[in-house]
Amino acid sequence: MLWGQGLLKVSDTETGSLSGIDLFSDMEPAELERVERACSFKRYASQEQIIDRQNDSQDVFFVVEGAVRVVIYSLSGREITLEDLAKGNHFGEMAAIDGAPRSASVMALDNCLIASLPQEPFLGLFGTHPDIALKVMRMLTGVIRTSINRIMDLSTLAANNRVHADLLRLSRIHSKGDNTAAISPIPTHSDIASRASTTRETVARVFGDLTKIGIVERQKKALMVLDVEQLSDMVEEVRGE
C-alpha cells in the first residue's frame, strides 16, 4: 500500500497527537493528521521494554509523552546506555530504512505514550516531504559523530576521564550560560556508569573528587556544575585537544 491511500490506525486503545514531534514540526496540520491516522498509540510503564535488540519489526516510534532509554547489553548482562530520548524525539528509523534487525533495545524511563508508524508509510514520507528525509539524515549523521567520539573516549580515556567527559556532555545540555550548569533531574551513579562503561563506585569516587575541588555541588533538585570551563579543560587535556 502506498502512502496517501488512507492507512488506518492499528489500535484504538490509545489516541494522541504528533504535534510535538520534532520530525514533523514543519508539516501542515492536514498532513500531520494523516500520519496520526497511520499510527498506533500505546502506553508503557516505567522500565517496560518497548523494543528488543535483534527484533525484526520495522516500525518507527515517536515519544509523545515521557522519556525512553536506548540500551544494549554485554554478554555478562551489563547494561550500556546509548542515549536518553525525551518527548518529541523518535527512534527505530534504522530498521525501517535498511530492513535489518533492531540494533538496540529501548525501554520506558517513566510513564510514556509512544506512537508507532509502520515502515511503508514512514519511507513514503521521504518522497512527499524531502525536509523530513533531510532531518532523518542529519539525525543519523549526529548518531555517527557521537559514536565516533564515544569509541575514541573508550579507546583513549581512563574510567575517571570518561566520567568527566559524560558530565561535561550533560553540562553543555543543561548550561545556564554563565559557566555553570544545573543538571536536572540529578543523574544516578548507575546511569553515568552505564554511559561511561565503568562502575558506580568509580563514579562516586570521581564525584567526590570534583566536589572537593569545587567543580560539582549536589543540591536538592539539581546537580550543579560550578565551573564548566575547568571541567572542559580537564577533558581536553587528556584527549589532547
Side-chain angles (χ1 to χ4, degrees):
M1 182 179 293
L2 298 177
W3 175 256
Q5 292 184 337
L7 284 174
L8 296 178
K9 195 164 49 182
V10 176
S11 171
D12 289 322
T13 57
E14 284 283 351
T15 59
S17 170
L18 299 178
S19 60
I21 302 301
D22 296 340
L23 190 63
F24 303 136
S25 60
D26 298 323
M27 183 173 280
E28 294 294 329
E31 284 291 310
L32 184 62
E33 186 178 347
R34 294 172 66 192
V35 178
E36 290 170 352
R37 289 200 302 267
C39 288
S40 73
F41 293 79
K42 182 177 178 181
R43 288 202 175 272
Y44 294 85
S46 177
Q47 304 305 308
E48 186 176 355
Q49 185 167 275
I50 300 172
I51 57 174
D52 186 28
R53 186 171 184 267
Q54 296 301 317
N55 186 281
D56 59 2
S57 65
Q58 295 170 346
D59 288 4
V60 180
F61 298 84
F62 306 94
V63 186
V64 180
E65 297 175 11
V68 304
R69 172 163 294 169
V70 184
V71 300
I72 56 175
Y73 296 93
S74 68
L75 292 177
S76 64
R78 184 165 64 90
E79 180 182 296
I80 301 170
T81 299
L82 299 181
E83 190 176 12
D84 290 345
L85 300 174
K87 174 182 175 180
N89 285 284
H90 68 279
F91 57 93
E93 68 289 324
M94 289 175 58
I97 291 171
D98 65 10
R102 302 291 184 183
S103 59
S105 300
V106 180
M107 66 176 184
L109 282 177
D110 48 23
N111 182 26
C112 293
L113 177 61
I114 304 295
S116 60
L117 179 66
Q119 177 192 38
E120 191 170 351
F122 174 73
L123 295 180
L125 289 171
F126 289 7
T128 58
H129 296 79
D131 59 313
I132 290 179
L134 182 59
K135 286 182 179 180
V136 172
M137 285 190 288
R138 286 174 172 164
M139 186 277 300
L140 292 175
T141 300
V143 169
I144 294 170
R145 290 185 183 276
T146 299
S147 298
I148 291 172
N149 290 335
R150 188 162 189 170
I151 291 169
M152 284 294 294
D153 286 350
L154 289 171
S155 301
T156 61
L157 300 185
N160 62 318
N161 301 130
R162 295 198 299 272
V163 175
H164 293 159
D166 188 69
L167 183 59
L168 178 61
R169 180 187 64 82
L170 292 173
S171 299
R172 288 170 172 165
I173 294 172
H174 298 272
S175 173
K176 297 179 67 178
D178 58 356
N179 195 35
T180 68
I183 303 172
S184 179
I186 298 174
T188 67
H189 290 174
S190 296
D191 288 346
I192 294 178
S194 178
R195 289 192 296 269
S197 296
T198 187
T199 63
R200 289 176 295 176
E201 292 75 16
T202 297
V203 175
R205 185 180 68 252
V206 171
F207 272 46
D209 293 340
L210 292 174
T211 300
K212 289 177 182 178
I213 61 177
I215 292 181
V216 166
E217 179 181 274
R218 184 185 179 97
Q219 298 184 354
K220 185 175 182 180
K221 295 185 178 180
L223 178 68
M224 297 298 301
V225 179
L226 305 176
D227 194 337
V228 176
E229 289 184 6
Q230 185 177 352
L231 180 62
S232 179
D233 289 343
M234 294 170 65
V235 174
E236 291 174 3
E237 182 179 359
V238 294
R239 280 177 173 167
E241 296 178 348

